[in-house]
Amino acid sequence: MSATDDNTGGSPGARLLEVEDLHVEFRTRESTASVLNGVSYHVDAGETLAVLGESGSGKSVTAQAVMGILDTPPGFVTKGSIRYRGEELLTATEERRRGLRGENMAMIFQDALSALNPVYSVGFQIAEQFRFRRGMSRRDAMTKAAEMLDLVKIPNAKQRVKEFPHQFSGGMRQRAMIAMSLALDPDLLIADEPTTALDVTVQAQIMDLLDELRRERGMGLILITHDLGVVAEVADRIAVMYAGRVVEESDAESLYARPAHPYTEGLMASIPRLDQKGEQLASIKGLPPNLAAIPAGCPFHPRCHRAQQECREKLPELHELGAGRRSACHFAEELISSD
Amino acid sequence: MTEPILQVRDLVKHFPVQKGVVFKKTIGHVRAVDGVSFDLHRGETLGVVGESGCGKSTLAQVLMRLVQPTSGSALFEGTDMFGRKSAAELRRLRRDMQIVLQDPYTSLNPRKTVGDIVGEPFEIHPEVAPKGDRQRRVQELLDIVGLNPEHVRRYPHQFSGGQRQRIGIARALALKPKVIVCDEPVSALDVSIQAQVMNLLGELQSEFGLSYVFIAHDLGVVRHLSDRVAVMYLGKIVETGTEDEIYEHPQHPYTQALLSSVPVPDPSVRDRRETIRLSGDVPSPADPPSGCRFRTRCWKAQDICAEQPPELAVRLDGGEIDPSSEGHPSACHFAERHGHVIS
């Protein structure tokens, strides 16, 4: 850990990661889509922040902007700030950002099969980092790679290190991805839908592993997901995203006990529960907005059953509700105080 | 109870694994479905759950006769589905059974308009809707599934994922079938949209008296829609019963582990919940374990499990077979009632 700390130029006491008022546009020949419209969240060391949202809500794009792997074009950061331990990343040189990737922050992706290179052995791909960033010899790097596979509980790591991605099962590939991301001992890990492609029994194994590794290493973990169940099991804090904004931020318990945004409330009512059989699910009507033409006022108002005139005209700011909770709804106070 | 609309007995589908380019040699079989039996009653939903590779989608394809079964039989309203059939007989059968596929992005032809897609079944079955009446019928169907009937001339890419799945459902409904096989119909959709489509499937069932074979990997979704549930593992049904029996009183260790693995959307029970975690992955269906197929991942496994495949039968606590007792069938030598797995 100390090696990574030396590498960081940030000011002491600063947050591990802070994203503030981030705006990203995707420009195509036909139109410009406002994908992020002022995203703000933070993660502290040792904490799990879950970023919850449906497809198109901007949760992955935010992560890509943090990692500096946003495809430009079409994506452009137009406004905002991303600070890692107090250091501004958006104005940092590409060299500096490259130095931070892997060493200080790492990311794992949903589809491990397409994230791994099929023509190199799994061990080779992990060992690369030790060779080029740590100057190790091939042989030493391979030994370290086997240790990493062992760390993520791949049985028989010494033999499997020579195998290729197609010889691994889905769960093992995701483990290999985790091993790769942790190779240089980062203190921030972004997991973008790490278990979406996996079966439930394997999903449970991978989530347990991630949680254990976070605890052991004191990492900050950003877990991007659309699964309200997974979030409830591991998250300390939750940021709910809708149409490129954080609409609610809260600790996990309060959010599930009493959502402070009608969208969160709707999401909760939409999930078919395992422990009860209902007749009709309370679904959210309509569709998420087209990001090239986001409705005026609150972007959720056309789907919201509480919408008033005010919602159609005025964009609600993400405001404090006390006890670390924030919501972007004009009626948030009523929502959490009502029964 | 009345006679089941669909009776499936010992259904087997093995896919050959071949080697060689010019001279193909069969070197083994993938036992995708390996002896599946169930009944489907009128107006009922049978949920089929299982992880990837358990054979649930192959089961759907065999039921639709999109692939020929290796052996086994199925009776649809008393008539054999798999025997030699004339084209006319097969057409007639297919009218009564339709399928809704998982991926609404690849299961609709991008070059056809919605009207063509939903109206295509009428080309093959002109007796259902005479030519002049088709346009009206298609619009009616779109209206039933909650789409704007004026959008008949639009193409699939102009619709969202949830709307496309509605188009797929409209197509399946076109011939007024009796049974619809739904193969993971909501797994590609976002939660808020998923709920809309599930509600639609529920409404259509009560409106048209449909029977569903509902295949999914999401246990919450299956519980919500199903009357009875069959749990599959490596080509076999390991436990079957009413929705309540499976979810509240699971007997097979696999069912218990599966239910326990599903994350509960309630942070307040996080550390108080007793969880069962399986190790490892599902073995390859080309080379399934001997005896009980689940034994390689089972914490209860004994010598007998490797030697003797347990049959699907009503069992007492402890695993003894007792057809006279109350309960639902499970295929485990050590079946045991285990409450409170899910909360």
Side-chain angles (χ1 to χ4, degrees):
Chain A
M1 278 306 254
S2 63
T4 45
D5 288 345
D6 293 344
N7 188 305
T8 1
S11 47
R15 290 236 140 98
L16 180 61
L17 180 81
E18 202 163 12
V19 177
E20 205 181 310
D21 197 31
L22 191 66
H23 286 69
V24 169
E25 281 179 7
F26 275 46
R27 296 178 194 147
T28 59
R29 250 181 303 169
E30 292 83 31
S31 63
T32 298
S34 319
V35 179
L36 300 185
N37 304 294
V39 174
S40 304
Y41 63 60
H42 69 267
V43 203
D44 292 323
E47 146 183 271
T48 303
L49 171 77
V51 179
L52 188 68
E54 296 184 278
S55 30
S57 62
K59 51 195 196 308
S60 296
V61 172
T62 314
Q64 287 168 2
V66 169
M67 289 296 291
I69 53 171
L70 190 67
D71 277 336
T72 310
F76 295 90
V77 176
T78 51
K79 199 177 154 194
S81 154
I82 301 170
R83 291 185 296 276
Y84 170 77
R85 295 191 185 277
E87 179 188 350
E88 178 58 55
L89 296 184
L90 289 176
T91 53
T93 60
E94 187 43 47
E95 204 185 342
R96 172 68 184 145
R97 298 206 75 176
R98 193 178 134 89
L100 286 170
R101 278 197 289 269
E103 202 83 60
N104 300 80
M105 51 176 73
M107 186 162 173
I108 53 180
F109 302 90
Q110 171 176 349
D111 184 358
L113 185 60
S114 54
L116 293 167
N117 190 333
V119 301
Y120 292 105
S121 71
V122 171
F124 181 88
Q125 297 179 57
I126 301 174
E128 266 187 325
Q129 301 186 67
F130 294 116
R131 288 168 56 206
F132 295 107
R133 302 290 279 267
R134 295 275 188 270
M136 284 186 191
S137 69
R138 262 171 194 265
R139 183 189 300 255
D140 290 350
M142 270 312 237
T143 317
K144 281 288 277 180
E147 280 171 30
M148 291 310 296
L149 287 185
D150 197 45
L151 178 83
V152 295
K153 297 176 186 149
I154 288 186
N156 227 344
K158 277 216 173 62
Q159 272 77 53
R160 302 226 73 150
V161 76
K162 296 183 204 104
E163 290 185 3
F164 288 84
H166 73 268
Q167 291 167 292
F168 277 39
S169 70
M172 282 209 295
R173 278 180 211 135
Q174 201 53 277
R175 282 174 197 270
M177 280 282 291
I178 295 173
M180 196 178 291
S181 68
L182 295 182
L184 301 182
D185 209 359
D187 42 14
L188 174 68
L189 181 64
I190 303 177
D192 189 357
E193 305 263 9
T195 59
T196 308
L198 305 174
D199 284 317
V200 267
T201 55
V202 180
Q203 164 174 302
Q205 296 168 8
I206 297 289
M207 286 319 301
D208 285 353
L209 175 71
L210 272 178
D211 206 38
E212 191 186 312
L213 291 168
R214 173 194 60 81
R215 216 169 297 177
E216 275 170 13
R217 303 177 157 232
M219 282 187 305
L221 176 66
I222 299 179
L223 177 71
I224 298 171
T225 179
H226 66 274
D227 188 323
L228 287 134
V230 169
V231 170
E233 297 227 317
V234 300
D236 298 312
R237 276 187 311 113
I238 299 170
V240 183
M241 288 189 65
Y242 187 78
R245 294 162 56 90
V246 172
V247 293
E248 176 169 6
E249 193 195 322
S250 165
D251 63 286
E253 291 229 10
S254 323
L255 184 113
Y256 280 80
R258 190 153 283 182
H261 195 283
Y263 176 61
T264 320
E265 197 180 45
L267 276 185
M268 304 262 190
S270 302
I271 29 172
R273 296 277 305 237
L274 201 56
D275 48 1
Q276 60 206 40
K277 185 177 170 79
E279 279 305 299
Q280 184 91 357
L281 289 168
S283 59
I284 306 175
K285 64 180 180 190
L287 303 170
N290 175 356
L291 294 173
I294 293 174
C298 171
F300 186 61
H301 87 255
R303 305 178 74 190
C304 183
H305 62 103
R306 290 171 180 272
Q308 308 281 326
Q309 195 52 37
E310 190 186 3
C311 306
R312 287 181 260 279
E313 286 157 5
K314 204 174 127 220
L315 179 72
E317 291 296 323
L318 188 63
H319 57 277
E320 293 288 337
L321 298 168
R325 301 194 70 178
R326 297 195 291 165
S327 163
C329 174
H330 292 304
F331 303 102
E333 285 80 4
E334 284 171 41
L335 267 170
I336 52 171
S337 59
S338 70
D339 280 302
Chain B
M1 207 174 254
T2 53
E3 192 197 336
I5 188 160
L6 185 64
Q7 285 176 290
V8 175
R9 291 292 171 269
D10 296 319
L11 201 62
V12 175
K13 177 67 200 178
H14 290 178
F15 292 102
V17 182
Q18 287 175 329
K19 202 181 161 180
V21 183
V22 183
F23 300 103
K24 289 216 162 67
K25 208 169 79 188
T26 301
I27 52 167
H29 286 98
V30 172
R31 297 153 185 268
V33 175
D34 210 8
V36 164
S37 305
F38 63 82
D39 286 345
L40 180 70
H41 296 275
R42 266 170 226 280
E44 174 191 66
T45 301
L46 174 74
V48 179
V49 270
E51 297 181 280
S52 39
C54 74
K56 52 193 195 306
S57 288
T58 305
L59 177 67
Q61 288 170 0
V62 174
L63 288 178
M64 293 304 297
R65 266 198 76 159
L66 296 172
V67 293
Q68 272 297 338
T70 308
S71 67
S73 70
L75 298 180
F76 178 81
E77 293 189 315
T79 56
D80 176 35
M81 285 171 63
F82 297 138
R84 278 180 74 88
K85 289 221 174 310
S86 68
E89 279 174 314
L90 195 58
R91 256 211 307 276
R92 165 78 217 169
L93 193 70
R94 290 224 167 108
R95 219 183 95 178
D96 289 330
M97 275 182 81
Q98 288 290 318
I99 188 164
V100 175
L101 298 159
Q102 170 175 2
D103 185 356
Y105 293 87
T106 53
S107 58
L108 303 177
N109 188 336
R111 288 163 169 263
K112 287 189 166 178
T113 64
V114 171
D116 291 338
I117 291 170
V118 177
E120 198 178 9
F122 300 136
E123 299 283 325
I124 301 151
H125 299 274
E127 73 279 9
V128 183
K131 248 202 162 105
D133 194 34
R134 271 180 210 169
Q135 174 87 353
R136 194 191 57 77
R137 254 313 271 159
V138 168
Q139 293 192 326
E140 200 179 293
L141 283 163
L142 291 182
D143 191 44
I144 289 171
V145 297
L147 293 171
N148 187 341
E150 279 158 31
H151 290 170
V152 280
R153 271 181 239 293
R154 293 200 178 181
Y155 287 89
H157 74 264
Q158 294 170 289
F159 293 88
S160 69
Q163 288 172 325
R164 287 187 215 199
Q165 200 53 292
R166 286 171 194 267
I167 297 170
I169 294 171
R171 174 174 60 184
L173 282 177
L175 299 175
K176 301 180 183 155
K178 294 171 181 161
V179 174
I180 297 186
V181 177
C182 305
D183 187 6
E184 301 265 15
V186 296
S187 56
L189 308 174
D190 273 320
V191 241
S192 68
I193 309 300
Q194 173 177 304
Q196 294 173 358
V197 172
M198 282 169 62
N199 285 340
L200 173 68
L201 286 171
E203 286 158 23
L204 294 174
Q205 178 164 46
S206 38
E207 197 174 332
F208 299 105
L210 296 167
S211 312
Y212 290 141
V213 176
F214 191 89
I215 294 168
H217 68 277
D218 185 320
L219 289 131
V221 168
V222 166
R223 175 162 209 190
H224 189 81
L225 282 171
S226 307
D227 303 299
R228 283 187 310 120
V229 178
V231 182
M232 280 186 77
Y233 188 77
L234 276 182
K236 282 188 184 298
I237 292 180
V238 295
E239 184 167 2
T240 176
T242 64
E243 155 265 315
D244 188 64
E245 283 166 342
I246 297 292
Y247 285 84
E248 301 296 334
H249 312 287
Q251 290 189 345
H252 196 285
Y254 179 62
T255 316
Q256 292 163 3
L258 202 58
L259 287 170
S260 173
S261 298
V262 180
V264 173
D266 182 0
S268 62
V269 300
R270 196 184 283 178
D271 295 315
R272 286 187 276 131
R273 206 159 74 97
E274 183 199 346
T275 51
I276 305 167
R277 287 285 184 269
L278 292 180
S279 56
D281 296 287
V282 184
S284 159
D287 183 21
S290 66
C292 172
R293 294 187 172 187
F294 182 58
R295 70 177 166 86
T296 51
R297 299 173 83 195
C298 184
W299 64 98
K300 285 183 176 177
Q302 310 264 333
D303 290 346
I304 183 181
C305 304
E307 290 151 13
Q308 223 181 72
E311 61 174 300
L312 187 64
V314 179
R315 285 160 192 273
L316 293 175
D317 246 7
E320 247 172 276
I321 297 180
D322 184 5
S324 63
S325 81
E326 298 273 307
H328 63 278
S330 60
C332 174
H333 293 303
F334 304 101
E336 200 173 359
R337 273 186 206 170
H338 194 302
H340 315 295
V341 195
I342 49 173
S343 54

